[in-house]
Amino acid sequence: MRERTLEVAETSLPDQQSHFGDAFPLVLECRTATDLPIVCAVLRETSRHLVERAARYGVILFRGFPVLSDQDFDAFVAAFGLPNFPYYESLSNAVRVNRTPRVFTANEAPPDVEIYLHHEMAQTPIYPSHLFFFCEQPATTGGATPVCRSDVLWERLAARCPQFARDLEAKGLRYSHIMPAADDAASGMGRSWPSTLRSTTRAEAEERLAGLGYSWEWQPDGALRATTPVLPAIRRLPNGRTSFFNQLIAASQGWKDGRNDPSRAITYGDGAQLDRAGALEAARLGDELAFDVPWQRGDVALVDNYVAMHGRRTFTGTRKVLASLIASVG
Ligand code: FE2
């Protein structure tokens, strides 16, 4: 990208990875002092190209751009001209707070809760194609966003656990979790059922679940266990590769709070228990392949949700990483 007043260069980071000959993540650094309207004008012109690069590289980290506030981040994302995916319409199980109609806090879960690698909302039938993150304030320690090339993970998993990979591909997955009656910000998955399902009564909640193909079970304390229809465990990418597009690692490792037990969170599509060794190997490969985005104030990351997984490391201090989601494109 080069404009009269804007010079952007590819740069590198310590421990940056390379897959299929491409850097992971791709890092684009703004090398000139400039203002946001100029950046947004360039983004508008190059949006399509950047989205193509996100599909190829999985993650693009924009560093050194003049993005300082939630409003700036909103303008940066809006300049791409992509459809917004509003949090309130999603079936996300995270508690979040909106800052603007398209910008919200990434997850209100406490600092000592690790959020495991996942594809955003792949445990629901409705998911975004892309995510943007913005670092408004880095944590004092920790708080990186690990990202992982999911197509590379799938390739390695299929080589190491071929039967597990065949079972996942053939059977798909079902997820089950308990939603509280009121938001519980102490949990990484504490969004209430009235908020998640945009319902005020049980009858409305049941109607919405039935429409989405879920089954459900009311709990004595007013909470709701919801179980998804069979969802695919993988996704074919336009370039012919396959990604591990699911929430298997997060659900089997991390869906844990006062209501939820990870051992009940996920099964094959036919209801059978997952192969434990295979699930552990997927998590191990996720650890091996994770790259921790070392947030600096003002950083923006664009994640292709079909190609790369993301999570959140534990942290100390105040961490403000905001997010914005894009409804399916391409
Ligand atoms: Fe997420």
Side-chain angles (χ1 to χ4, degrees):
M1 279 193 244
R2 185 184 255 283
E3 280 257 312
R4 270 196 314 273
T5 48
L6 183 64
E7 186 186 341
V8 175
E10 284 181 32
T11 185
S12 58
L13 288 173
D15 302 322
Q16 193 173 18
Q17 300 177 6
S18 175
H19 298 292
F20 309 109
D22 291 327
F24 181 72
L26 176 65
V27 185
L28 298 179
E29 190 173 50
C30 184
R31 293 270 170 87
T32 44
T34 186
D35 60 12
L36 192 58
I38 290 171
V39 168
C40 289
V42 174
L43 290 175
R44 270 190 287 278
E45 281 172 21
T46 54
S47 165
R48 194 190 169 97
H49 175 59
L50 288 168
V51 169
E52 284 170 7
R53 294 190 98 185
R56 176 172 160 186
Y57 291 86
V59 176
I60 303 177
L61 179 63
F62 297 89
R63 177 156 283 179
F65 288 78
V67 183
L68 298 170
S69 67
D70 47 14
Q71 300 293 331
D72 293 348
F73 178 47
D74 186 299
F76 187 98
V77 174
F80 279 76
L82 301 170
N84 185 32
F85 183 111
Y87 167 64
Y88 78 91
E89 283 180 13
S90 78
L91 295 164
S92 163
N93 53 22
V95 177
R96 294 166 166 165
V97 178
N98 267 92
R99 294 278 197 89
T100 78
R102 66 162 72 230
V103 170
F104 49 82
T105 57
N107 193 318
E108 293 289 302
D112 60 343
V113 174
E114 167 112 15
I115 298 176
Y116 291 87
L117 289 171
H118 60 281
H119 287 280
E120 192 65 22
M121 298 178 209
Q123 82 284 18
T124 83
I126 312 163
Y127 33 76
S129 62
H130 297 79
L131 304 89
F132 286 89
F133 290 114
F134 162 58
C135 179
E136 190 176 44
Q137 182 180 337
T140 306
T141 62
T145 292
V147 290
C148 168
R149 278 285 297 244
S150 184
D151 49 352
V152 178
L153 189 150
W154 174 252
E155 205 176 80
R156 294 189 188 179
L157 184 65
R160 295 180 67 95
C161 305
Q163 186 59 48
F164 181 52
R166 278 194 294 274
D167 286 344
L168 288 173
E169 194 165 351
K171 297 179 179 180
L173 295 165
R174 296 181 80 185
Y175 304 86
S176 184
H177 87 283
I178 297 179
M179 296 176 268
D183 277 353
D184 172 10
S187 163
M189 47 185 304
R191 191 181 183 194
S192 71
W193 63 260
S195 169
T196 308
L197 302 171
R198 284 181 286 149
S199 308
T200 50
T201 65
R202 289 188 176 204
E204 278 173 18
E206 290 180 359
E207 194 180 325
R208 177 118 164 94
L209 287 170
L212 292 163
Y214 282 61
S215 56
W216 63 86
E217 193 184 320
W218 292 101
Q219 308 298 301
D221 64 353
L224 173 61
R225 175 179 284 281
T227 303
T228 68
V230 180
L231 298 172
I234 58 167
R235 185 178 177 95
R236 303 273 180 233
L237 302 175
N239 63 12
R241 289 200 281 265
T242 299
S243 71
F244 189 58
F245 187 77
N246 59 60
Q247 285 248 3
L248 189 150
I249 295 173
S252 59
Q253 307 280 312
W255 282 16
K256 190 167 17 185
D257 63 13
R259 292 168 296 278
N260 287 281
D261 167 3
S263 70
R264 290 193 65 187
I266 184 169
T267 64
Y268 289 117
D270 61 6
Q273 291 299 309
L274 287 189
D275 172 50
R276 199 173 143 69
L280 286 172
E281 180 62 10
R284 194 196 64 77
L285 286 167
D287 287 341
E288 185 177 289
L289 287 165
F291 174 84
D292 283 5
V293 174
W295 290 120
Q296 291 182 7
R297 191 186 302 271
D299 282 349
V300 174
L302 167 57
V303 178
D304 184 315
N305 193 36
Y306 301 141
V307 179
M309 290 190 266
H310 65 278
R312 189 197 72 181
R313 300 292 185 200
T314 59
F315 62 94
T316 63
T318 301
R319 175 189 190 269
K320 291 182 188 166
V321 172
L322 307 182
S324 185
L325 306 180
I326 301 301
S328 190
V329 288

